[in-house]
Every structure is written in structure tokens, then in C-alpha cells.
């Protein structure tokens, strides 16, 4: 895959290269809903400057691009044309990037899979719901794609597809132009080949520059109280923690400091309640909704306002406690998913390892580089403080370098 900065030399050439690669890979990967070749070439011809000059971008199909449909993986939105760019698309255009088209999402960014396949093994899921974006980056079509996260919608596909992912702190980046599922949980995000590119895009969007602090402090969380974690993933976590320690970081266990099962359950309550109200109009057409989405909306309608307010109180209390913790340590290091991408295309894997942190609105970076014995990617997540994103990105970049060094080279 060409580096993200290579597009700066010739935007039109970069776009044409992406279009060629898309044509080569799409019959197998099926990552794209729509490719706007003419619009992308015209936009590339107008680009003159910017830190992302000419970089082709895939846009998850819950995110508006002016003049293109935003169909959200649902027949209920078929043919609905966006009249303006989403906030994040506009920021990227201002930085010189060029939207190539819309990537596949699960239905309304929930569980019902789209047609996308994992580029590392076509018989395995790419995850959800930013599945098309993760696969498009992993297949080398675009160096940058946009996603979002409400539960584990970005960290999981990043892990499964072996790419880097960034979930912005909830509220830090506008969701204007996004079709949301749960307003207090929804967050925009990015997918790139590696963390270095990820950091460059974050800086282009909001000016945050990655920085590596002196004396890294890490809490290690294996997630075993929430899921059965694959031995290969536990080994990847252990090797990375030991590499950080050997390089001078201080690592301790998170065990007992955060009640993650309670937070995962609370997340599910909040998401169901808010989704039932965000998609109230769509719920009037149950015949056009998948079974998982109907069940989510039914659960949300059964959730009382009192239960919802109690869940939000739990979240606020836990957030204060965890933010205090993250002023005394730099990051939490954890698996981004229980293991490699499961075989099969009828499900997208579990988001449970992301639920506690998304409930708390924390920024997350998925760091690629590990593989299981069958060659399938294994991603780790670094969770940080929302006011210390620069530090999170710097530690993530450093961690990726240690993983690459242990693997005997660069990607």
C-alpha cells in the first residue's frame, strides 16, 4: 500500500491508482456501496494544497457526502441524497483529501452484516459496522477511510482487518452529517494502514500532534471477565506489555479498579433506549428491518426513562472514577476484540470489549501488527484520557513500533 503522504505529489494520479485498485479487489472484497470516479477525479483536479493533498478517502455509508446517497445499509434510506458534507468530510476536504465513494456499513451501523469480506481471508467477517472502510484500507484501495463507533463498530473491524483505528472522544468531533444510533455514545473515527498515518490525519483534522511522554504508565486489561479471549490474543497482549516494560514503561494490571461487566450492561441499556428514539420513524416499518435491529428497538422501547436515567448516572460516576485513574496512568492496554475475525459472514463478532470505554466516551486507538498462528490479524486497543489525545497517539505510535521491531521489520 502506498503511504498516505504519497498522494501529495499528484492528486489525480493517487485517485486513479485507488480506482484501479478498487476495480481489482471489489469482486472479492465487496467493500464499496458506490464509487464516484468522476466526482473524485474532478475534486483531485481542484486540490492545490493541504496536509492531506490528494489523499483518496472511503466514507462509511452513514456519513454524508454532498451529492451522494447516504443509505445506511437499509432499504428505508435507498436513494436519499445528501445535500451537504458531514463535518468530518468537510474538514478532510479542507485538508486536501478527496472522497472516493461510500463504503459498506451494517444496517444503521448495528449488527446486520453487509456483503463485505475480510481481505486476509474471504471466508471470515471483516467485523462491523465500519466493515467496508476497514476492508478498503486493508485491501490497499485507499490509505484513509472514515468510520464511527457506538459500541465496537470501529475497533473491532480495525482489529479483524489488521489496520489502525482511531475513535475520537465522544463530543470532541462533531457528528453533524452522521446518521446516528445513540447520541450519547456515537463518535466519529478514522482507519488507516498504521498509527503514524492515523496521527497525521488527526493532526490535519483538529491540530492535535502526537507526543510521547516521559515515563509511560500503562494499565493492562485482558478483558477475560467479559469474554473468552483467544490464547493468541492473550499472548499478543502479554508480549506487547513486556516489550513496553523492557523499553522503560511501567505496567500494572487494571484488575479490580473498574467494574467492566456493569459498564458493558449499562452501555447496552443506554444504546437500546436511545436507538429506539433515534430510529422511531424506521421502527414503523418493521418488515424492512433485520431481526437484530428490531430486537434492539423493542428492547429500547421497553426500557423506562427511570432505567435510562439510572444507567446514565452509573456512567457518569464511572467516568469520573476512570478519568481520575487516567490522570495517574497514561493508557489502558487491552485486546481490541476477543480474537481473530471469526469464520463466516453472517455475523460480525462481539463488541463487548469496547462497550465499557465507549460508554465513558473515551478516545481509543487500535494498534495493528500481531497475527495468530493462521496469519489472521490481532489488534490491541489503547484507551486514553479525552483531554490527552496527543499522549494517546504518541504512545500508540511507539507501541506499534515495538510490535514491528519484535516482528522483525516494518509493515
Amino acid at each position: 500500500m502506498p503511504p498516505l503522504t504519497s498522494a501529495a505529489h499528484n492528486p489525480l494520479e493517487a485517485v486513479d491508482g485507488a480506482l484501479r485498485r478498487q476495480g481489482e479487489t471489489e469482486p472479492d472484497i465487496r467493500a464499496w456501496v458506490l464509487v464516484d470516479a468522476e466526482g473524485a477525479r474532478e475534486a483531485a483536479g481542484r486540490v492545490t494544497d493541504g496536509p492531506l493533498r490528494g489523499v483518496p478517502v472511503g466514507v462509511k455509508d452513514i456519513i454524508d457526502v454532498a451529492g451522494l446517497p447516504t443509505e445506511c445499509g437499509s432499504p428505508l434510506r435507498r436513494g436519499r441524497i445528501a445535500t451537504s458534507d458531514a463535518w468530518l468530510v468537510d474538514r478532510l476536504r479542507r485538508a486536501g483529501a478527496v472522497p472516493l465513494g461510500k463504503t459498506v456499513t451494517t444496517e444503521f451501523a448495528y449488527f446486520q452484516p453487509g456483503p463485505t469480506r475480510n481481505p486476509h481471508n474471504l471466508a471470515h467477517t471483516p467485523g462491523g459496522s465500519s466493515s467496508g472502510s476497514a476492508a478498503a484500507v486493508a485491501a490497499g484501495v485507499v490509505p484513509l477511510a472514515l468510520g464511527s463507533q457506538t459500541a465496537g463498530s470501529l475497533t473491532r473491524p480495525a482489529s479483524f482487518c489488521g489496520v489502525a483505528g482511531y475513535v475520537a472522544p465522544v463530543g470532541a468531533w462533531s457528528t453533524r452529517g452522521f446518521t446516528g444510533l445513540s447520541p450519547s455514545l456515537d463518535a466519529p473515527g478514522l482507519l488507516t494502514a498504521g498509527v503514524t498515518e492515523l496521527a497525521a490525519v488527526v493532526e490535519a483534522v483538529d491540530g492535535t500532534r502526537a507526543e510521547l511522554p516521559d515515563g509511560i504508565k500503562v494499565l493492562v486489561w485482558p478483558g477475560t471477565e467479559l469474554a473468552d479471549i483467544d490464547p493468541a490474543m492473550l499472548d499478543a497482549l502479554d508480549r506487547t506489555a513486556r516489550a513496553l516494560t523492557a523499553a522503560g514503561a511501567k505496567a500494572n494490571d487494571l484488575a479490580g479498579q473498574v467494574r467492566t461487566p456493569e459498564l458493558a450492561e449499562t452501555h447496552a441499556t443506554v444504546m437500546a433506549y436511545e436507538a429506539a428514539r433515534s430510529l422511531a420513524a424506521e421502527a414503523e416499518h418493521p418488515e424492512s428491518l433485520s431481526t437484530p435491529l428490531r430486537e434492539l428497538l423493542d428492547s429500547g422501547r421497553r426500557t423506562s426513562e427511570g432505567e435510562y436515567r439510572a444507567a446514565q448516572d452509573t456512567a457518569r460516576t464511572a467516568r469520573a472514577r476512570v478519568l481520575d485513574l487516567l490522570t495517574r496512568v497514561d493508557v489502558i492496554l487491552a485486546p481490541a476484540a476477543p480474537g481473530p475475525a471469526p469464520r463466516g459472514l453472517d455475523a460480525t463478532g462481539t463488541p463487548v470489549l469496547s462497550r465499557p470505554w465507549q460508554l465513558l466516551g473515551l478516545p481509543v486507538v487500535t494498534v495493528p501488527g500481531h497475527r495468530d498462528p493462521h496469519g489472521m490479524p490481532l489488534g490491541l486497543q489503547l484507551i486514553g484520557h479525552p483531554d490527552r489525545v496527543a499522549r494517546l497517539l504518541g504512545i500508540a505510535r511507539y507501541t506499534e513500533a515495538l510490535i514491528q521491531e519484535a516482528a522483525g521489520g516494518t509493515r
Side-chain angles (χ1 to χ4, degrees):
M1 177 186 300
L4 184 144
T5 53
S6 69
H9 301 296
N10 190 322
L12 184 56
E13 186 176 295
V15 166
D16 282 339
L19 291 170
R20 284 194 299 273
R21 181 65 177 157
Q22 192 273 340
E24 294 167 355
T25 61
E26 186 61 10
D28 289 332
I29 306 300
R30 302 179 70 185
W32 296 84
V33 176
L34 177 149
V35 172
D36 182 23
E38 182 178 351
R41 288 190 177 107
E42 289 178 359
R46 294 192 300 268
V47 171
T48 59
D49 200 4
L52 302 179
R53 180 173 177 262
V55 171
V57 182
V59 181
K60 181 178 179 177
D61 196 29
I62 65 162
I63 304 170
D64 289 347
V65 175
L68 299 184
T70 304
E71 297 186 333
C72 304
S74 170
L76 294 174
R77 296 293 178 92
R78 192 161 293 146
R80 185 172 295 187
I81 306 299
T83 58
S84 61
D85 285 335
W87 177 87
L88 184 52
V89 173
D90 178 67
R91 295 295 297 178
L92 291 172
R93 282 197 200 269
R94 291 171 184 266
V98 178
L100 194 72
K102 306 301 287 291
T103 56
V104 171
T105 181
T106 57
E107 176 196 30
F108 289 109
Y110 192 54
F111 276 143
Q112 186 66 19
T116 308
R117 302 167 181 174
N118 193 310
H120 296 274
N121 187 320
L122 299 180
H124 290 242
T125 179
S129 64
S130 303
S131 50
S133 287
V137 172
V141 177
V142 287
L144 167 64
L146 306 189
S148 65
Q149 181 149 296
T150 305
S153 305
L154 193 144
T155 55
R156 187 166 82 261
S159 179
F160 287 173
C161 292
V163 299
Y166 173 66
V167 180
V170 171
W173 286 3
S174 172
T175 54
R176 178 179 60 79
F178 282 60
T179 299
L181 187 65
S182 178
S184 71
L185 302 175
D186 296 335
L190 310 168
L191 295 133
T192 62
V195 179
T196 296
E197 296 91 334
L198 200 66
V201 180
V202 173
E203 184 175 355
V205 170
D206 68 10
T208 300
R209 178 172 294 183
E211 60 182 36
L212 187 65
D214 294 329
I216 301 170
K217 296 179 181 178
V218 181
L219 285 177
V220 181
W221 177 61
T224 49
E225 72 273 28
L226 289 183
D228 291 330
I229 309 299
D230 189 281
M233 181 65 85
L234 290 175
D235 179 63
L237 180 68
D238 180 65
R239 284 188 285 122
T240 301
R242 284 191 283 111
L244 284 165
T245 301
K250 295 181 179 178
N252 293 292
D253 291 334
L254 182 66
Q257 299 188 63
V258 181
R259 296 166 61 181
T260 54
E262 179 185 37
L263 296 185
E265 292 175 7
T266 302
H267 175 281
T269 298
V270 171
M271 184 171 71
Y273 182 91
E274 294 185 354
R277 284 140 189 88
S278 296
L279 298 181
E282 287 74 16
E284 295 179 3
H285 305 278
E287 73 284 353
S288 297
L289 302 177
S290 68
T291 298
L293 186 56
R294 285 200 307 271
E295 291 175 347
L296 175 72
L297 302 184
D298 288 344
S299 173
R301 284 191 294 269
R302 291 193 303 269
T303 302
S304 70
E305 184 175 350
E307 290 171 321
Y308 173 65
R309 292 190 182 281
Q312 289 202 313
D313 287 343
T314 296
R316 278 191 290 269
T317 300
R319 177 179 164 88
R321 186 168 61 248
V322 173
L323 290 185
D324 178 67
L325 181 64
L326 287 169
T327 62
R328 290 179 278 116
V329 300
D330 294 301
V331 293
I332 298 168
L333 173 68
R343 185 177 181 85
L345 302 175
D346 57 350
T348 62
T350 175
V352 69
L353 297 183
S354 296
R355 286 185 185 271
W357 319 116
Q358 198 63 27
L359 175 73
L360 305 183
L362 305 181
V364 179
V365 175
T366 303
V367 181
H370 288 290
R371 300 288 182 113
D372 78 350
H374 304 287
M376 294 298 288
L378 298 167
L380 300 176
Q381 60 177 329
L382 287 170
I383 302 115
H385 194 292
D387 295 336
R388 299 181 178 185
V389 170
R391 180 174 293 198
L392 170 65
L393 289 167
I395 295 171
R397 193 164 59 186
Y398 182 65
T399 302
E400 182 182 55
L402 290 176
I403 293 170
Q404 291 172 352
E405 182 180 351
T410 60
R411 64 176 183 272

